[in-house]
Amino acid sequence: MALDLQAPALAPAARESSKLKRHFGRFDILFFLICTIVGVDTIATVAASGGEAFTWMVVLAVVFFIPQALLFSELGTAFPQEGGPYLWTRMAFGHLAGAINNFLYWVTNPVWLGGTLAFSGAYALQVFFNDGKSFSTPVFYLITIPFIWVAVLAAVLSFRVGKWITTIGAFARFLLLGLFVVTVAIYAAQNGVHGLSAGAYVPTAGGFVALVGVLLFNYVGFELPSSAGEEMKDSTRDVPFAIARSAVFSFLLYAVPILGILLVLPLGQVTNFGGFVDAIKTVFTVYGGQVTKAGPELTGAGAAIGGVMGIVFVICVLTSGVTWIMGSDRALAVSGYDGAAPRFLGVISERLGTPVRVNIFSGIVSTLVLVLANTITGGDAAKFFGAVLGVTISTTLISYLLIFPSLWKLRRSHPDVPRPYRMPAYRILTVVLMALLAFTVVQLMAPGAFFDWFGKGFHPDGWSADEGGVYLLTELVPVVVFIVVGVLFWVAGRRTRRDNEAMAHDLEKSTGPVFR
């Protein structure tokens, strides 16, 4: 069988992929992955669940994080074409499944950028530069809307330039989390340890239900650089290298700060939204300031260092959005010239080598999400954060329900494709990954299902126990709408698919079977 890796969309793919340039090296991929996986906006969400959060984080690192890394090491090296996660799903299950799944995979990111990331950045500025007082609605939008469009601009830039933004983001994480851990140690030496008892670290079923969504959300993303597979210098060597090292760095960058928060701060002081920013302000009083009944107050060097770290925090959440927009926008553009989305979206800029049209589309969706979510929740910070984060996590994880098993299917449908790296025990590990995902999606839609749906300890912050039906709708309706849009994208790509099939047929007659 002749292998033509451009065959899935012969003429369109050749035309668009010819505009791509190979700027993505080994360490670029490593830093990109650190930005992708380490999201500082959810650190406090995990720590707020107490000691067992750390225990479950370790357990899921073994049964989910590591198997996922092995899975994407194989897919990323065996099928290194542009559009990675979309292409794998489409090759395994067809254009309709690829269209729906890829829209779910893509839309998560503008929702996340315009929701929790923009809000988290604004909250950090509020804490360090506005004495913790809420911004007025006009000021809130003056901060958050430029935040969104700076991220979009970064994604529009050529990868030759854009990759340095993600590198800066990775080092911002090293600086922020490293200084936080050191400061936690100083704070503990001065004020004592409020650590939890050993019993607090014992895992429970209720704790697992409450935590599994955000922990899995924190742990996904190894596939994202493969969305730019044809922009990598050497995917065969660099993908496994970057995944292995980023897995170690990412786990430590999550685990050590979370453990520090649990050991030093009273659990009641850690909240889901903004909790990490509040924790930073509290421990940074060692440089100048004090903790009062009204909360921490920074003065002198404490205020100066805190302000710098507030800006670094904003850089961290901004670059989280940038990496995901860069990757998912490329996947959507590939689906556009492969017949699973409107052809209009499947265009790569000749000058920049980036999917500018999709980037702008992401910015528009992010802005709409920001305005709608803030309006619907009436500016209620906790409800805003919880509702948008819930939709973001559920939509993200649903998309992996087809991405993960694509490895199994492609092992059977494309056995002759060279696999420089092969996932061990792939059947068992894929089943484990799928079972965890399915259980988690149910819990995200209906918190506490099978236990005590929306009961005490299960409903998100800002929601009361009698609002379960409303919450279910806020989670379910967007997903249904996204699936419908995915189907419409598939319909819109019909002509492109027909043209591609005709071209593939003509090529097969002249050269023999091609890779599809």
Side-chain angles (χ1 to χ4, degrees):
M1 177 186 295
L3 296 184
D4 181 353
L5 298 184
Q6 296 299 334
L10 296 171
R15 183 162 59 252
E16 301 302 333
S17 64
S18 66
K19 305 171 188 176
L20 301 172
K21 300 173 178 61
R22 296 189 181 275
H23 295 303
F24 216 13
R26 172 174 294 191
F27 286 97
D28 301 324
I29 300 171
L30 171 60
F31 296 138
F32 187 94
L33 275 171
I34 290 173
C35 268
T36 298
I37 297 172
V38 182
V40 297
D41 58 312
T42 55
I43 286 178
T45 303
V46 176
S49 294
E52 68 174 309
F54 183 80
T55 305
W56 282 121
M57 184 171 60
V58 174
V59 171
L60 288 174
V62 175
V63 300
F64 184 85
F65 196 45
I66 294 174
Q68 183 206 181
L70 299 175
L71 185 148
F72 287 125
S73 291
E74 174 172 334
L75 287 175
T77 53
F79 304 96
Q81 294 76 41
E82 195 82 359
Y86 158 73
L87 182 70
W88 307 329
T89 305
R90 195 275 290 162
M91 290 173 59
F93 305 111
H95 280 91
L96 177 58
I100 295 172
N101 206 65
N102 196 49
F103 187 80
L104 286 167
Y105 183 79
W106 168 81
V107 77
T108 292
N109 300 295
V111 170
W112 187 41
L113 177 63
T116 58
L117 292 182
F119 170 76
S120 296
Y123 184 78
L125 297 178
Q126 171 185 308
V127 167
F128 289 107
F129 297 100
N130 200 44
D131 295 326
K133 299 175 184 177
S134 297
F135 291 122
S136 65
T137 299
V139 173
F140 174 79
Y141 286 134
L142 282 173
I143 293 170
T144 53
I145 291 178
F147 176 94
I148 289 170
W149 287 97
V150 167
V152 170
L153 175 61
V156 166
L157 295 173
S158 165
F159 231 144
R160 181 174 59 85
V161 177
K163 67 181 183 180
W164 290 108
I165 296 173
T166 60
T167 299
I168 291 170
F171 280 96
R173 284 158 173 77
F174 293 140
L175 174 61
L176 177 68
L177 299 176
L179 182 58
F180 176 73
V181 170
V182 170
T183 308
V184 162
I186 299 172
Y187 185 89
Q190 293 183 1
N191 299 280
V193 175
H194 298 277
L196 303 171
S197 65
Y201 293 87
V202 175
T204 65
F208 178 74
V209 170
L211 285 162
V212 65
V214 70
L215 287 175
L216 264 58
F217 180 69
N218 286 347
Y219 279 161
V220 296
F222 285 121
E223 80 293 340
L224 195 66
S226 293
S227 294
E230 293 173 39
E231 297 169 75
M232 293 180 181
K233 295 178 179 178
D234 187 352
S235 60
T236 300
R237 294 166 58 90
D238 296 344
V239 167
F241 172 92
I243 286 179
R245 284 153 182 78
S246 66
V248 175
F249 279 121
S250 298
F251 177 77
L252 292 176
L253 288 170
Y254 273 130
V256 178
I258 288 173
L259 186 60
I261 291 173
L262 292 172
L263 290 175
V264 173
L265 298 179
L267 188 58
Q269 291 185 12
V270 184
T271 60
N272 280 353
F273 73 96
F276 183 50
V277 172
D278 295 335
I280 292 172
K281 188 173 183 180
T282 298
V283 299
F284 275 30
T285 55
V286 301
Y287 304 119
Q290 59 184 339
V291 178
T292 67
K293 290 183 179 180
E297 296 178 355
L298 297 177
T299 59
I305 297 173
V308 171
M309 289 302 102
I311 293 172
V312 173
F313 179 91
V314 173
I315 293 172
C316 289
V317 294
L318 176 67
T319 52
S320 286
V322 169
T323 53
W324 279 96
I325 291 293
M326 281 181 171
S328 64
D329 281 7
R330 280 167 166 78
L332 185 60
V334 171
S335 72
Y337 59 69
D338 188 47
R343 182 67 181 89
F344 172 81
L345 295 175
V347 175
I348 304 298
S349 166
E350 183 79 43
R351 183 168 65 90
L352 299 171
T354 56
V356 176
R357 293 181 181 179
V358 181
N359 296 151
I360 300 301
F361 187 29
S362 291
I364 293 171
V365 172
S366 290
T367 305
L368 289 174
V369 167
L370 174 74
V371 175
L372 286 173
N374 193 53
T375 302
I376 291 171
T377 59
D380 184 322
K383 188 171 287 190
F384 182 111
F385 186 88
V388 177
L389 183 62
V391 172
T392 301
I393 294 175
S394 61
T395 308
T396 298
L397 297 184
I398 288 171
S399 69
Y400 286 93
L401 288 171
L402 283 182
I403 296 175
F404 284 162
S406 63
L407 178 137
W408 196 331
K409 179 64 164 57
L410 291 172
R411 281 271 188 109
R412 297 171 60 87
S413 62
H414 294 73
D416 297 330
V417 172
R419 287 170 168 78
Y421 176 85
R422 298 178 72 90
M423 179 186 184
Y426 74 95
R427 292 183 179 88
I428 295 174
L429 293 179
T430 301
V431 169
V432 171
L433 290 171
M434 293 294 292
L436 276 170
L437 278 176
F439 177 82
T440 303
V441 168
V442 171
Q443 294 304 319
L444 290 167
M445 295 288 185
F450 313 124
F451 299 91
D452 181 14
W453 178 47
F454 231 69
K456 184 178 180 181
F458 289 109
H459 56 79
D461 286 350
W463 294 81
S464 62
D466 60 354
E467 292 182 301
V470 176
Y471 185 85
L472 177 62
L473 289 176
T474 66
E475 303 301 307
L476 188 60
V477 170
V479 172
V480 172
V481 170
F482 297 156
I483 290 173
V484 171
V485 174
V487 174
L488 294 176
F489 270 32
W490 172 75
V491 172
R494 180 172 51 190
R495 180 175 178 178
T496 304
R497 291 195 302 275
R498 185 173 61 243
D499 292 344
N500 290 339
E501 286 299 320
M503 294 172 189
H505 180 70
D506 291 343
L507 185 64
E508 286 178 343
K509 288 197 299 184
S510 61
T511 65
V514 297
F515 177 86
R516 294 198 231 179

